[in-house]
Amino acid sequence: PSKTWTYRQATLFDLPAIAALMQKSYGGAPGAPEFSITWLKKQLAKHPSFDVQNLWVAVDRQQNIVASAGLWDQSSFRRTVASGYTRAMKTTVRAMAFFGLLWKLPPVPKEGQALSYTFMRWPAAELENAEALGALTRFLVSRVRKEGKHQFLSVGFNEFDPLQDSLVGITKIKESIQVFSHWVKASESYQKVAGLPVQRRFV
């Protein structure tokens, strides 16, 4: 990670700055809520697997928070089980097992066992600070690697989100994920987004 910024866990005192950063980053995008301190506190109180201690920030020399993201391990309530491997996946698993010995990765799950992975939730930065978000991502990847509990760190961006450029230069496996709207077609919320052109959305 770049030494241009410092990286630390967020505290309750950081919530106003994080909410403001999320508003600057995604405010007004289709699917985005009104990012307020009240909204943020409500989200952090939904489940003990993700609270303020799971949030991380990148701070500049003036002590301004310029990027933020959370690490979310959903293993306490979610299981993704590899029920059957294709031939290509079996080869990948063998390669992971081999490199796991070199990099001290957790044991690769056998068929029928759950993968061990964590999510980078709510990655946020203003576009001019996308590099800071990339540095924070590198910091979190290093942290996850040192802890040695997960095989993967997953982060998702809408395909029209310019913040995905923050991942340039990071070794990654690109995966396409379809997102389905929770809005009923007859609802007012759906009508607001139905006629919009394809563009960056908050997911």
Side-chain angles (χ1 to χ4, degrees):
S2 171
K3 294 182 180 178
T4 304
W5 304 275
T6 54
Y7 316 95
R8 60 173 175 79
Q9 276 180 298
T11 68
L12 289 173
F13 297 106
D14 296 320
L15 293 187
I18 292 172
L21 182 63
M22 293 180 75
Q23 181 64 26
K24 290 176 184 175
S25 183
Y26 286 104
E34 186 66 32
F35 297 105
S36 64
I37 302 172
T38 303
W39 175 85
L40 190 55
K41 286 181 177 178
K42 186 177 179 180
Q43 298 303 310
L44 294 173
K46 280 189 171 181
H47 195 272
S49 63
F50 192 79
D51 59 23
V52 68
Q53 294 181 353
N54 298 103
L55 290 173
W56 291 82
V57 294
V59 182
D60 65 14
R61 290 186 173 89
Q62 287 74 43
Q63 299 306 303
N64 298 313
I65 294 175
V66 292
S68 64
L71 279 183
W72 192 13
D73 182 344
Q74 299 179 349
S75 59
S76 59
F77 66 91
R78 177 174 178 169
R79 297 285 184 271
T80 299
V81 176
S83 58
Y85 285 146
T86 62
R87 183 176 298 176
M89 190 61 184
K90 285 180 180 178
T91 303
T92 303
V93 168
R94 290 191 190 104
M96 286 175 63
F98 173 75
F99 287 112
L101 295 174
L102 300 177
W103 293 339
K104 298 180 180 178
L105 292 174
V108 178
K110 298 176 182 177
E111 291 183 67
Q113 293 180 336
L115 286 167
S116 180
Y117 58 99
T118 186
F119 289 92
M120 199 169 121
R121 188 183 191 191
W122 297 337
E126 293 189 71
L127 294 183
E128 59 265 28
N129 289 320
E131 190 178 348
L133 180 59
L136 178 61
T137 302
R138 286 174 168 82
F139 171 82
L140 294 176
V141 168
S142 298
R143 181 177 178 81
V144 168
R145 185 177 291 146
K146 286 176 184 176
E147 287 179 344
K149 297 177 183 177
H150 302 94
Q151 281 104 10
F152 298 98
L153 186 150
S154 179
V155 56
F157 290 101
N158 177 269
E159 64 266 36
F160 299 103
D161 192 338
L163 282 180
Q164 65 182 306
D165 291 342
S166 65
L167 300 180
V168 170
I170 297 176
T171 303
K172 54 191 173 288
I173 299 170
K174 188 176 180 181
E175 184 179 18
S176 179
I177 298 174
Q178 300 295 320
V179 178
F180 295 88
S181 170
H182 62 281
W183 290 305
V184 179
K185 283 190 174 182
S187 71
E188 186 178 335
S189 297
Y190 180 82
Q191 299 304 319
K192 288 180 181 178
V193 299
L196 291 175
V198 178
Q199 58 177 289
R200 179 194 199 199
R201 292 172 181 258
F202 176 75
V203 180

